[in-house]
Amino acid sequence: MRQTIEVLRHVGLGVFVGLTIVCARQWRARTQPALRWATIAFGSLAAIGLIGLVMQQQVFRGLVLWLIKGLLAVLILFPYFLYRFAVAFQRPSRLVMGVARAVTLIAVAYSLAIPRLVLPGMPQPAWLTVYRGVILAQWTILFCIIASQLWWGAKGQTTVPRRRMRTLALASLGMNVAILLSGIAAGTPSERMRLVTQVLSLGSSILFFVGLAPPAWLVHIWRRPEMVGFQGAMRDLFAATSQAEVSRILLPHAVRVIGARGAALVSGTGTLLATHGTTDAPENIVALALSKKDPDTPSVHRVAFRTGAMLIWTSPYAPFFSQSEFAMLDGWGLFVDLALERSAAAERQRMFIANAAHELRTPLTTILGVASTLADARGSLTEAQVQDCLQALERQGARAVLLIRNLLDLAQLDGERLATSIETITVSGVVQHAMEAAPPPPGINVTVKVAPDIVAEADPDRLEQILVNLLSNAYRYGGPDVLIETREEPDGIVLVVSDAGPGVPEELVPHLFEPFTRGNGARASGSGLGLALSKRLAEAIAGSMWYSPASPRGASFSVRLRRSA
Amino acid sequence: MTQPPRPRVLVVEDEPDIMLLIRLWLGAGGFEVVEAQTGSEAAAYLESDESFDVVLLDLRLPDIDGWTLLTRIRGNERTRSLPVVIASAHAGSSTARRAAEFGCSYVSKPFNPETILAALRSRLGRPAGRLSSTGG
């Protein structure tokens, strides 16, 4: 049995040395005060064990009394260090802190004051009984504080941190029972009692290990309920069709996975998309979310992703015990990006359909109104009024047809199914055709400066469509003078249509090539799709298109075409 | 026998073909129509001519926003109580609410001759300020 006890003692010592190394490594990786105290606590216990091993060889005979006094003092400080670990997350009341300090101080002072060593089998003096009582009381008080702090602190945490904290609470209680048993039996230590205390102590040290550095497989088992929730969240996220819906699904799940107090979602452009359970001022939330630095308060966790950031207000225990949950949450970024982009695309599509319907409604209702007026009141209309009505019918019919044609082209371009036939073309020829298709209205003069010998690689019909769109645009928004010219550049031929009108307002430029973007001054007779379509057409015929302000004033649209080989 | 004077309406609308329709309908309905294609044109009319009985205002205008024009109308002592009927394709309860705040009636596009004539006739002789007290 003695041999078993010795083996258990050595294994227990090994576990404490291992715990010290694990805590020290974690402490180096993340400088949390709790980890410092855990390292000191288990380090001191491991040191006592190692020195005890050496002392068995009886090397330091002369220094034995003071060495043992010192070791006793360190042993008394172990529960105090562990207590500092447990209260590093949340301070207990002043009374509790005062009691912990006082009992530790008394026990250390008593240890340093003992007059001599009393070996087993020697008569037990009264001061030794009192001393033993003081130490047992100090250990018991401190371990009870540690256990209750961790046990009740775990309330409301998610499974992994809760299990870790409660494992540590149980380890503390086990350690306390072991010390109580060995203390009570100290005068007359039986082999069996020593075995029981060694087993208890080893069991507790293993529990400490599990609580502080749980193995991955155990974390996996513990996390199962949260994983089920996580999978549900992902399923819901991908069914979401708006940013609001993404936020509404994401935030409660994030809060549940971490056991947090609240969460907020902020877009990359600094818009607060949603909050859940937090009452912080919106400007503070946005500043915190977009800051490059880590949040000052350790209990605010930021999950940054491509399209924005999520902030989570956690419990004070989370930064230590929920590291693995944070890692899981950080992995959500990709899903959130996908869900947000997907819902933004759905929103764009809804807008597009609404805009298209709105644009179609105007010509169709005008046609309907004119037709019913002609049907009901033709007799009371003058001949000129009838002519106006017929012209309006023609104009609005043409407008509806143009809109539908552009919508179809745009749909084909987005699906990349547009048929093009690239061939060598004479640019001036295409310009001439475009001018015939879109002749300048009265009062507008078009100057063409395109040399007849300039050739490029393009689809002539599509290029003509682009030019007609650009010309119609210039007639609608520009001044009385429109210029078409070409420029030869190293990487191709640039065809430019410019006007001397007011130019594109600065705030409109970023959206210029989006469908249904319209500037002021629009006689809303176009489809609202001309520029969006032209840019995509230019790209479909292996070219490119861009806007720049004309000099000294006006708008200038350039189309780059491939040079003929 | 003298005919009663035809009520004068200022129509602010930028779509020429919708303007044509309104002109035909209101003309047949007994109104005298004055046309403004832009907000600034409308503002100029209101500045120089005091004889309008009612304004039919499209919210989407090429130069200034219809609401801005309306704010100007309500801010001017002379036109403060001029009845205004708002016509908008952006139908919605928020537009109707905002119209009511300005003391205006509201018709949503697309409209037909009956609705627009009824809306204009119901506002004739009823200054904007009294709109809320008469319940609409």
Side-chain angles (χ1 to χ4, degrees), chain A residues 361 373 395-396 399 518 520-521, chain B residues 15 17 25 60 62 89 110:
Chain A
R361 196 161 74 160
T373 305
R395 262 196 306 272
Q396 296 300 328
R399 182 174 162 188
R518 267 215 187 94
N520 283 342
Chain B
E15 281 260 0
D17 292 336
W25 294 343
R60 189 155 131 177

Side-chain angles (χ1 to χ4, degrees), chain A residues 393-407:
Chain A
L393 280 181
E394 205 177 335
R395 262 196 306 272
Q396 296 300 328
R399 182 174 162 188
V401 168
L402 172 74
L403 178 61
I404 289 167
R405 184 187 158 189
N406 283 350
L407 279 173

Side-chain angles (χ1 to χ4, degrees), chain A residues 149-232:
Chain A
Q149 190 85 1
L150 290 172
W151 188 270
W152 300 118
K155 206 176 158 196
Q157 306 291 321
T158 44
T159 315
V160 174
R162 193 178 63 240
R163 294 260 160 90
R164 286 181 65 185
M165 290 170 75
R166 295 208 160 148
T167 304
L168 288 178
L170 286 177
S172 305
L173 287 179
M175 201 74 174
N176 193 39
V177 173
I179 212 84
L180 277 176
L181 286 179
S182 69
I184 290 162
T188 51
S190 72
E191 294 272 299
R192 181 173 295 168
M193 194 62 112
R194 282 186 61 197
L195 182 67
V196 170
T197 49
Q198 278 304 334
V199 168
L200 260 176
S201 159
L202 180 63
S204 304
S205 61
I206 291 170
L207 285 181
F208 273 124
F209 208 103
V210 170
L212 286 168
W217 59 266
L218 190 61
V219 171
H220 187 74
I221 294 173
W222 279 347
R223 194 189 281 149
R224 253 181 215 154
E226 277 79 19
M227 282 311 286
V228 172
F230 170 74
Q231 281 155 2

Side-chain angles (χ1 to χ4, degrees), chain A residues 358-359 361-362 365-366 369-370 372-373 381 385 388-389 391-392 395-396 399 518-525, chain B residues 14-18 20-21 23-25 28 37-38 41 60-64 88-91 109-111 113-114:
Chain A
H358 180 84
E359 293 294 333
R361 196 161 74 160
T362 311
T365 52
T366 314
V370 173
S372 65
T373 305
L381 297 180
Q385 283 173 329
D388 282 347
C389 283
Q391 278 167 10
R395 262 196 306 272
Q396 296 300 328
R399 182 174 162 188
R518 267 215 187 94
N520 283 342
R523 289 277 181 274
S525 50
Chain B
D14 69 320
E15 281 260 0
D17 292 336
I18 294 183
L20 166 72
L21 271 180
R23 189 194 308 139
L24 292 177
W25 294 343
Q37 287 199 324
T38 63
E41 212 178 315
R60 189 155 131 177
L61 294 171
D63 52 350
I64 51 172
S88 172
H90 297 282
K109 277 184 176 177
F111 37 62
E114 291 77 27

